[in-house]
Amino acid sequence: MVATASTTLQSINFTHYHRNPLSSRRRCAFLAVRCGIAEPSGEPAPLGQKTKYDDGFFEKAFMTLFGRKMERFASVDDDKMKNQNKKKKGLFEHDYDSFVDVSRRVMKGRSRLQQQQVVREVLLSMLPPGAPEQFRKLFPPTKWAAEFNAALTVPFFHWLVGPSEVVEVEVNGVKQRSGVHIKKCRYLENSGCVGMCVNMCKIPTQDFFTNEFGLPLTMNPNFEDMSCEMIYGQAPPAFEDDPVSRQPCLKDICSVANPSSPICPKLQA
C-alpha cells in the first residue's frame, strides 16, 4: 500500500505547487505527515528487531482513512471479527497493526492479480475526478517531474514506510536525484510478508504511476535488510523478469509463510 499516501497527497497539492512553488513549499511543510521513531537513536531498529514508532494525530488519521477504504475488500475471519466490524473505529482509533491486518485480510483468498486490482480500486477512490489526466498534463515524464515526485515522497510516505531520503540514481544514462532510499520499510517490517510487499505495494504502485499517471516508477525491495529503492523515471520490468517474482517466503517472520516452497505462494498467479 505504499502508493496510497503519495498519490492522494500529490493529487491535493500538485496543481497549487505548480502555480505557486514558494507558497506550496510552505503548504507541503505544513501537510507533510511525519511519524516519529520512538527509538533512542532516532533511526529504525536493527534487523531482527521491530522499530518502535510514536504515531500522532495525522498518522492515525491516515491509517484510519486507508484502513476504512481497504476494509470494504477484507475478509472476515470469525464471529468476533464480525462483531468488531459492526462498530467502526473512530478517526484516531486505528493503529499501524490494524492497518496491516486489514491488508492481510484483503490478501486472503485472492490471487496475485486480484490483490493488485483491489489496491488499484482503492487508489482511484482516493483521487478526485480527472486527477490522473491532470497529473499527466502537469508532470510529463521528464527529469524534473521525476525529481519533484521523489522529493514529495520523502515527507508524504514517512508514516507508511518509515524514514527515507532522496538519492542520486541513473536513468537511461542520465544521473538525477529521482531515487528514494527507504531505510527499513515499515510495511514490510510489520507484515513480514513477501506477498503483501509485492502484490499490495510494489506492483500496484509501479503500475499506478506508470500507467495511470504516465510517470514511470520502479521499486526494488531488499528482503535481506528490508530497505527499498524507488526510482522515478525508470520503467519497471515485466513481473516475470523481476527478481521479486522468485523470492521465497520470509519464513522466520511471516505468519503465513510456506517454508517448503521455493517461491512465496502469494506470488503465483
Side-chain angles (χ1 to χ4, degrees):
M1 290 298 297
V2 171
T4 50
S6 179
T7 50
T8 302
L9 288 170
Q10 284 177 15
S11 70
I12 294 172
N13 289 290
F14 64 65
T15 301
H16 182 65
Y17 190 102
H18 186 76
R19 292 173 180 169
N20 192 338
L22 179 60
S23 173
S24 295
R25 288 191 187 99
R26 294 169 181 164
R27 180 181 176 89
C28 288
F30 176 76
L31 290 177
V33 181
R34 289 186 173 274
C35 58
I37 289 184
E39 297 288 340
S41 65
E43 295 291 328
L47 195 64
Q49 300 179 30
K50 189 175 179 179
T51 305
K52 297 177 182 178
Y53 287 85
D54 183 18
D55 295 314
F57 177 89
F58 287 107
E59 293 79 33
K60 291 182 179 179
F62 275 95
M63 291 172 194
T64 301
L65 177 63
F66 294 120
R68 285 179 176 176
K69 290 285 185 179
M70 295 290 289
E71 192 71 54
R72 296 190 297 117
F73 301 93
S75 65
V76 180
D77 296 328
D78 51 38
D79 291 336
K80 181 179 179 181
M81 184 65 72
K82 289 179 182 178
N83 291 333
Q84 290 177 351
N85 288 341
K86 287 180 180 179
K87 182 181 179 181
K88 283 188 176 182
K89 290 185 177 181
L91 185 57
F92 307 110
E93 293 179 1
H94 275 69
D95 56 21
Y96 203 85
D97 287 338
S98 63
F99 171 73
V100 171
D101 176 67
V102 171
S103 299
R104 185 174 287 109
R105 289 190 286 115
V106 168
M107 179 180 68
K108 186 175 180 180
R110 286 188 171 89
S111 68
R112 171 172 59 85
L113 297 178
Q114 288 172 335
Q115 294 169 49
Q116 295 167 20
Q117 182 60 30
V118 166
V119 176
R120 179 179 179 276
E121 291 184 31
V122 169
L123 292 180
L124 287 173
S125 73
M126 300 296 299
L127 299 174
E133 291 78 10
Q134 287 298 317
F135 189 99
R136 285 173 176 267
K137 291 178 181 179
L138 292 173
F139 300 111
T142 62
K143 176 183 175 181
W144 177 86
E147 292 183 334
F148 177 76
N149 278 270
L152 279 185
T153 295
V154 173
F156 289 145
F157 271 126
H158 199 96
W159 74 272
L160 187 57
V161 299
S164 62
E165 59 184 351
V166 174
V167 296
E168 186 177 74
V169 293
E170 186 172 309
V171 179
N172 299 324
V174 178
K175 290 185 177 181
Q176 55 192 51
R177 292 184 61 79
S178 66
V180 176
H181 176 70
I182 299 169
K183 298 179 180 180
K184 187 182 184 186
C185 179
R186 188 180 187 184
Y187 190 70
L188 178 57
E189 180 181 31
N190 279 261
S191 68
C193 181
V194 169
M196 287 175 63
C197 168
V198 175
N199 298 334
M200 303 190 70
C201 176
K202 171 185 161 63
I203 300 298
T205 302
Q206 290 181 165
D207 287 348
F208 204 80
F209 271 91
T210 302
N211 300 321
E212 300 291 340
F213 282 168
L215 179 64
L217 170 66
T218 296
M219 297 179 67
N220 298 315
N222 185 326
F223 294 102
E224 293 184 2
D225 63 7
M226 295 191 175
S227 67
C228 184
E229 182 183 47
M230 303 177 67
I231 306 176
Y232 286 97
Q234 179 173 293
F239 179 75
E240 295 75 15
D241 299 327
D242 197 315
V244 301
S245 66
R246 300 178 290 279
Q247 177 67 33
C249 291
L250 301 175
K251 60 182 180 180
D252 294 330
I253 59 175
C254 182
S255 61
V256 294
N258 183 351
S260 63
S261 176
I263 299 175
C264 172
K266 298 299 181 181
L267 299 181
Q268 300 173 11

